[in-house]
Amino acid sequence: MRTECYITRRAEFSASHRLHDPALDEEENRRLFRECNWEGGHGHNYLLEVTVAGPVDPRTGMVVNLKDLKAVIEERILGPCDHRNLDRDVPFLEGIITTTENLCIAFWEELEEGLSERIGEARLHRIRLRETRDNFCEYFGPGPAPDG
Amino acid sequence: MRTECYITRRAEFSASHRLHDPALDEEENRRLFRECNWEGGHGHNYLLEVTVAGPVDPRTGMVVNLKDLKAVIEERILGPCDHRNLDRDVPFLEGIITTTENLCIAFWEELEEGLSERIGEARLHRIRLRETRDNFCEYFGPGPAPDG
Amino acid sequence: MRTECYITRRAEFSASHRLHDPALDEEENRRLFRECNWEGGHGHNYLLEVTVAGPVDPRTGMVVNLKDLKAVIEERILGPCDHRNLDRDVPFLEGIITTTENLCIAFWEELEEGLSERIGEARLHRIRLRETRDNFCEYFGPGPAPDG
Amino acid sequence: MRTECYITRRAEFSASHRLHDPALDEEENRRLFRECNWEGGHGHNYLLEVTVAGPVDPRTGMVVNLKDLKAVIEERILGPCDHRNLDRDVPFLEGIITTTENLCIAFWEELEEGLSERIGEARLHRIRLRETRDNFCEYFGPGPAPDG
Amino acid sequence: MRTECYITRRAEFSASHRLHDPALDEEENRRLFRECNWEGGHGHNYLLEVTVAGPVDPRTGMVVNLKDLKAVIEERILGPCDHRNLDRDVPFLEGIITTTENLCIAFWEELEEGLSERIGEARLHRIRLRETRDNFCEYFGPGPAPDG
Amino acid sequence: MRTECYITRRAEFSASHRLHDPALDEEENRRLFRECNWEGGHGHNYLLEVTVAGPVDPRTGMVVNLKDLKAVIEERILGPCDHRNLDRDVPFLEGIITTTENLCIAFWEELEEGLSERIGEARLHRIRLRETRDNFCEYFGPGPAPDG
């Protein structure tokens, strides 16, 4: 038995995107994605929350240094995504329909890789991504969900 | 093993209510419910968050179409409850003391029924209902809680 | 010439109300006030902001002591209005259609009277009342508006 | 002397844009607009607040019916701008560099025209447009500013 | 099988602190805690959320009376911590480096003790403590985390 | 007649302080400043909003480049104040009782000096400083207030 805490860092970035599947025809794209498929694209101020879980280091009183967590978020997510078009400018999103769900899954891989050398015993626990003030997505990584 | 996401939609509605148990006398009602029992009733801007969990459809990149989730919330909750008196105007709340806990439980049943035909493999995961800026309730459905 | 600051105190209260003019028939009431006229009433978490303006007392560095401002808001507004029905429980709102505009005007009178003995050289400057997350009203007192 | 109130309605919309002046060369565009000039564009959840000022109608207790104000905002701003590319999809923004300042000025014209037949004695008072959580612009219409 | 809800109460308090380990030299303190170690200390408006879980009492429709939860938070946390220096004024924090993680753990013990006589079958479930608008910590008590 | 906009930049900083007037005795200090006078001090996440007004440059569509405004806020306010004790660490606050009012006035002088070379025709219009979620102060500079 050990004492674990969950520490979260938030960051906002502004990006454009469009939901569009090139394998489908126009009508089907419009039916699936509605106004999110409109040709000129649109955009959001995405609010990202990254949660890391782990034991509290008795020496520092921290799960992970927030400065390190912030640095990884900036390097891996804000750098490639902020003020960008998610569909054309971000190498790790190539070929992905940029729904909030798919963004969470792709961000997880980027962050886990970026954090792996810096967070010692801790682990990436949750990504929460708010797309508008009325919808957000949460992802807890591959594998069975915490409640299943 | 499969990849699951949790997608949440928020909505606000304005309603009045009063905590009052007709089986108890006035004094007991006042002792239990305090100012929430005052005779003229009061009201809130309730902020509702509905979370649906499930695998991400590889064709759409979505757990569930947010437009469908929004439509069910409007049909099942906002339609009957917005600008209403929760104690006298809402058929599915009849006979219920309208605490935030009981509202969550009643909303769960309504939403699960409304979602059942629309969300395929996904499932209703959590209802969060904020009553004031300083208190909110969460409900994960009947059965053992996720942490127990 | 003198240096003035504007100091604001916020408070939330929960109340029910219904927009209804007894001098009009049902149809006319419905046409004017729509869902706000529905018979059972509804409610809000009102967010009130009270702004006082005046010179900064060089002895205290304050326009007015926020504790005094808070006390007047509690005595004059929260006491009579919190967890109440604005249409039937609040003496100073009797006979008033409780739109956000009319509430602001009525609150102004109450607050000005309550503050008059406590705020010395300062003066009530603005009342802002948020009814829902998407609408609020501001009132600067009787007389010509600051921009007109 | 008469009693005036200021009533505000908020709305959020999601759009993409890019700051770019075709009359300037690439280097100059980059120097002026920095990351806002990046070629793929980016986007925001714009939060718009529209304030209307005027006397309170003693019959309704309102400056203007919020439903009318909401309808004009939807027709004039959300319809053309939500889920759109502000630089290529919005007729009334043609030829305009879509800074928050210029959007406010263009929105003013649209809203004033749309409101003119509906708000009687009242007048458009202020447009506030939040682009990100850390910057917003306010515009009070053509003519001298309220403090100058 | 039984029906459980999670009820949360929020409270804000303002305190000062400094991250500093007297067992380490100055350079090591600066390296570990950076600007949080600066000698004069700094401060925050801490936003505390306390979540209690348990079955809904069919008699009251409540997991726990929010007034009781509020009273315990005020007695155990706000009383000792609000407008205080967390490093020198709070007996139960003596000898603790006041990171958000350590505050959560210490608050848990205080709250669990304070709640034990008041919440019947219910149990303390989660403490969430927001230090700034961009970071917060969650703690679910000693023992294995809910997701491990 | 000319077209003016008001552009605002927000920033948060965390600082400690204590309201205390060395010219007064302990009892008088306690009476005036209450818990804000407690000896160990306390702290806040101050939310600062700086508004600049001026004509919109037709070449850029801007009143002032937000990057410049941000740079001045960082250099003049965040640099000296963030993670600091406002009473002992900030040269330009020496000898000042650090109420929100006095902070606004002192920040105005710093910002006006910092902005003077960068904002051309524009002018500093308003400083708004939020100390807690329930109180904030606004300052429009020396001279008669905009409404007086």
Side-chain angles (χ1 to χ4, degrees):
Chain A
M1 199 180 94
R2 57 182 202 169
T3 293
E4 295 216 325
C5 279
Y6 295 74
I7 191 92
T8 298
R9 177 86 199 165
R10 303 173 89 188
E12 192 180 271
F13 66 92
S14 298
S16 61
H17 79 145
R18 178 196 179 199
L19 300 187
H20 181 79
D21 182 349
L24 303 175
D25 66 21
E26 227 174 283
E27 199 189 349
E28 183 68 357
N29 266 300
R30 191 56 52 95
R31 200 186 58 74
L32 277 177
F33 302 120
R34 303 178 210 194
E35 74 267 30
C36 298
N37 177 251
W38 289 346
E39 199 188 344
H42 58 283
H44 303 287
N45 302 322
Y46 287 97
L47 184 65
L48 173 67
E49 290 184 7
V50 180
T51 303
V52 167
V56 178
D57 182 334
R59 206 173 45 101
T60 60
M62 296 175 182
V63 168
V64 60
N65 197 307
L66 280 170
K67 299 287 171 190
D68 292 337
L69 183 49
K70 189 186 172 202
V72 173
I73 293 171
E74 282 174 357
E75 185 188 310
R76 293 292 179 138
I77 309 296
L78 303 195
C81 298
D82 188 31
H83 281 79
R84 298 291 184 184
N85 181 318
L86 301 178
D87 302 316
R88 45 155 279 176
D89 296 335
V90 185
F92 68 76
L93 294 175
E94 234 182 83
I96 289 175
I97 299 173
T98 53
T99 58
T100 320
E101 291 93 328
N102 280 343
L103 291 176
C104 280
I105 295 169
F107 288 0
W108 180 279
E109 283 169 38
E110 283 302 303
L111 288 166
E112 193 162 58
E113 196 181 288
L115 288 166
S116 62
E117 289 165 17
R118 303 217 201 184
I119 62 173
E121 265 194 273
R123 65 194 180 282
L124 185 56
H125 170 68
R126 180 184 60 210
I127 286 175
R128 185 186 285 147
L129 185 63
R130 196 184 70 186
E131 196 189 47
T132 72
R133 67 175 181 171
D134 283 332
N135 63 275
F136 62 86
C137 182
E138 292 163 297
Y139 181 58
F140 295 83
D147 68 326
Chain B
M1 199 180 93
R2 57 183 202 167
T3 293
E4 296 215 326
C5 278
Y6 295 74
I7 192 91
T8 298
R9 177 86 198 166
R10 305 173 86 189
E12 192 179 271
F13 66 92
S14 297
S16 60
H17 79 146
R18 177 196 179 199
L19 300 187
H20 181 78
D21 182 349
L24 303 175
D25 67 19
E26 225 177 282
E27 197 188 349
E28 184 67 357
N29 266 300
R30 190 58 49 96
R31 199 186 58 73
L32 277 177
F33 302 119
R34 307 179 205 195
E35 74 267 30
C36 297
N37 177 250
W38 289 346
E39 199 189 345
H42 58 282
H44 303 287
N45 301 322
Y46 287 97
L47 184 65
L48 172 68
E49 290 184 7
V50 180
T51 303
V52 167
V56 178
D57 183 333
R59 206 172 45 102
T60 61
M62 297 174 181
V63 169
V64 59
N65 197 308
L66 280 170
K67 300 285 169 188
D68 292 336
L69 183 49
K70 188 185 172 201
V72 172
I73 294 171
E74 283 173 358
E75 185 189 308
R76 294 291 178 138
I77 309 296
L78 303 195
C81 298
D82 189 30
H83 281 79
R84 298 291 184 185
N85 181 318
L86 300 178
D87 302 316
R88 44 156 279 178
D89 297 334
V90 186
F92 68 77
L93 295 175
E94 235 183 82
I96 289 175
I97 300 173
T98 53
T99 59
T100 321
E101 290 92 328
N102 281 344
L103 291 176
C104 280
I105 295 169
F107 287 180
W108 180 279
E109 283 168 39
E110 284 301 302
L111 288 166
E112 194 162 56
E113 196 181 288
L115 287 166
S116 62
E117 290 166 16
R118 302 216 202 188
I119 62 173
E121 265 194 273
R123 64 192 182 283
L124 185 54
H125 170 68
R126 180 184 60 209
I127 285 176
R128 185 185 285 147
L129 185 63
R130 198 184 71 185
E131 196 189 47
T132 71
R133 67 174 182 173
D134 283 333
N135 64 275
F136 62 87
C137 182
E138 292 163 297
Y139 181 56
F140 295 83
D147 67 324
Chain C
M1 200 182 90
R2 57 185 202 168
T3 293
E4 297 217 324
C5 279
Y6 295 75
I7 192 90
T8 299
R9 176 85 197 167
R10 303 173 86 189
E12 192 181 273
F13 66 93
S14 297
S16 59
H17 79 145
R18 177 195 179 200
L19 300 187
H20 181 79
D21 182 348
L24 303 175
D25 67 20
E26 225 175 284
E27 200 188 348
E28 184 68 356
N29 266 299
R30 189 58 49 96
R31 200 186 59 74
L32 276 178
F33 302 120
R34 306 180 208 196
E35 73 267 31
C36 298
N37 176 251
W38 289 346
E39 198 188 344
H42 57 282
H44 302 287
N45 302 322
Y46 287 96
L47 185 65
L48 172 68
E49 290 183 7
V50 180
T51 302
V52 168
V56 178
D57 181 334
R59 207 174 43 103
T60 61
M62 297 175 181
V63 169
V64 60
N65 197 309
L66 280 170
K67 299 288 169 189
D68 293 336
L69 183 50
K70 188 184 172 201
V72 173
I73 294 172
E74 283 174 356
E75 187 188 308
R76 293 292 179 138
I77 309 296
L78 303 196
C81 297
D82 189 30
H83 280 80
R84 298 292 183 186
N85 181 319
L86 301 178
D87 302 315
R88 45 155 279 176
D89 297 335
V90 185
F92 69 75
L93 295 175
E94 236 182 81
I96 289 175
I97 300 174
T98 53
T99 58
T100 320
E101 289 91 329
N102 280 343
L103 292 176
C104 280
I105 295 169
F107 289 0
W108 181 279
E109 284 169 38
E110 284 301 303
L111 288 165
E112 194 162 56
E113 194 181 290
L115 287 166
S116 62
E117 291 165 17
R118 303 214 202 190
I119 61 174
E121 264 195 274
R123 66 194 180 279
L124 184 56
H125 169 68
R126 181 185 59 207
I127 286 177
R128 185 186 283 147
L129 184 63
R130 195 184 73 185
E131 194 188 49
T132 71
R133 68 173 180 173
D134 283 332
N135 64 276
F136 61 86
C137 183
E138 292 162 296
Y139 180 57
F140 296 82
D147 67 323
Chain D
M1 199 179 94
R2 56 184 204 168
T3 294
E4 296 217 324
C5 278
Y6 296 74
I7 192 88
T8 299
R9 177 85 198 168
R10 304 172 87 189
E12 192 180 273
F13 66 91
S14 298
S16 59
H17 79 146
R18 178 196 179 198
L19 300 187
H20 181 79
D21 181 348
L24 303 175
D25 68 20
E26 226 175 281
E27 200 187 347
E28 184 68 357
N29 266 299
R30 188 60 47 96
R31 200 186 58 74
L32 276 178
F33 302 119
R34 305 179 208 192
E35 73 267 31
C36 297
N37 177 251
W38 289 346
E39 198 189 344
H42 58 283
H44 302 287
N45 302 322
Y46 287 95
L47 185 66
L48 173 67
E49 290 184 7
V50 180
T51 303
V52 167
V56 179
D57 182 334
R59 206 173 44 100
T60 60
M62 297 174 181
V63 169
V64 60
N65 197 308
L66 281 170
K67 300 287 169 189
D68 292 336
L69 184 49
K70 189 184 172 203
V72 173
I73 294 172
E74 283 174 358
E75 186 189 308
R76 293 292 179 138
I77 310 296
L78 303 195
C81 297
D82 189 30
H83 280 79
R84 298 292 184 186
N85 181 317
L86 301 178
D87 302 315
R88 43 155 281 177
D89 298 335
V90 185
F92 69 75
L93 296 174
E94 236 183 82
I96 290 174
I97 300 173
T98 53
T99 58
T100 319
E101 289 92 329
N102 280 343
L103 292 176
C104 280
I105 295 169
F107 288 0
W108 180 278
E109 284 168 39
E110 284 301 304
L111 288 165
E112 194 162 58
E113 195 181 290
L115 287 166
S116 61
E117 290 165 18
R118 303 215 201 189
I119 61 174
E121 265 195 273
R123 65 194 179 280
L124 184 57
H125 170 68
R126 180 184 60 208
I127 287 176
R128 185 185 284 146
L129 184 64
R130 196 183 74 186
E131 194 188 50
T132 72
R133 67 173 180 173
D134 284 333
N135 65 277
F136 62 86
C137 182
E138 291 162 297
Y139 180 56
F140 295 83
D147 67 324
Chain E
M1 199 180 95
R2 56 182 203 169
T3 292
E4 297 216 323
C5 278
Y6 296 75
I7 192 91
T8 298
R9 177 86 198 165
R10 303 172 88 188
E12 192 180 273
F13 65 93
S14 298
S16 61
H17 79 146
R18 177 196 179 199
L19 300 186
H20 181 79
D21 181 349
L24 302 175
D25 67 20
E26 223 175 285
E27 197 188 351
E28 183 67 358
N29 265 300
R30 190 57 51 95
R31 200 186 58 73
L32 276 177
F33 302 119
R34 305 178 208 194
E35 74 267 31
C36 297
N37 177 251
W38 289 347
E39 200 188 342
H42 58 282
H44 302 288
N45 301 322
Y46 287 96
L47 184 66
L48 173 67
E49 290 184 6
V50 180
T51 303
V52 168
V56 178
D57 183 333
R59 207 173 43 101
T60 60
M62 297 175 181
V63 169
V64 59
N65 196 308
L66 280 170
K67 300 287 170 189
D68 292 336
L69 184 50
K70 189 185 171 200
V72 173
I73 294 171
E74 281 174 357
E75 184 190 310
R76 293 292 179 137
I77 309 296
L78 302 195
C81 297
D82 189 31
H83 280 81
R84 299 291 184 185
N85 181 319
L86 301 179
D87 303 316
R88 45 155 279 177
D89 297 334
V90 185
F92 68 77
L93 294 175
E94 234 183 82
I96 289 175
I97 300 172
T98 53
T99 58
T100 320
E101 290 92 330
N102 281 343
L103 292 176
C104 280
I105 295 169
F107 287 0
W108 180 280
E109 284 169 38
E110 284 301 303
L111 288 166
E112 194 162 56
E113 196 181 287
L115 288 167
S116 62
E117 290 165 18
R118 303 217 201 187
I119 63 173
E121 264 194 274
R123 65 194 181 282
L124 185 56
H125 170 69
R126 180 184 60 210
I127 286 176
R128 185 185 284 148
L129 185 63
R130 196 184 71 184
E131 195 188 49
T132 71
R133 67 175 181 172
D134 283 332
N135 64 275
F136 62 86
C137 182
E138 293 163 296
Y139 181 57
F140 295 82
D147 68 324
Chain F
M1 200 179 94
R2 57 184 202 168
T3 294
E4 296 216 325
C5 279
Y6 296 75
I7 191 90
T8 299
R9 176 86 200 167
R10 304 172 86 188
E12 192 180 275
F13 65 91
S14 298
S16 60
H17 79 146
R18 177 196 179 198
L19 299 187
H20 181 79
D21 182 347
L24 303 174
D25 67 21
E26 225 174 284
E27 199 187 348
E28 184 67 357
N29 266 299
R30 189 59 48 95
R31 199 186 58 74
L32 276 177
F33 302 119
R34 306 180 208 195
E35 73 266 32
C36 298
N37 177 251
W38 290 347
E39 198 189 344
H42 57 281
H44 302 287
N45 302 323
Y46 287 96
L47 184 65
L48 172 67
E49 290 184 6
V50 179
T51 302
V52 168
V56 179
D57 182 334
R59 208 174 43 101
T60 61
M62 297 174 181
V63 169
V64 59
N65 197 309
L66 281 170
K67 300 287 169 188
D68 293 336
L69 183 50
K70 187 184 172 202
V72 173
I73 295 172
E74 283 175 357
E75 187 189 308
R76 293 292 179 137
I77 309 295
L78 303 195
C81 297
D82 188 32
H83 281 80
R84 299 292 184 185
N85 181 318
L86 300 179
D87 302 316
R88 44 155 278 176
D89 297 335
V90 184
F92 68 77
L93 296 174
E94 237 184 81
I96 290 175
I97 301 174
T98 53
T99 58
T100 320
E101 289 92 328
N102 281 343
L103 292 176
C104 280
I105 294 169
F107 288 0
W108 180 280
E109 283 168 40
E110 284 301 303
L111 288 166
E112 194 162 57
E113 194 180 291
L115 287 166
S116 62
E117 290 166 19
R118 302 214 203 189
I119 61 173
E121 266 194 272
R123 64 193 181 279
L124 185 56
H125 169 69
R126 180 184 61 207
I127 286 176
R128 184 186 285 148
L129 185 63
R130 196 184 73 185
E131 195 189 48
T132 72
R133 67 174 181 172
D134 284 333
N135 65 276
F136 62 86
C137 182
E138 291 163 296
Y139 181 57
F140 295 83
D147 67 324

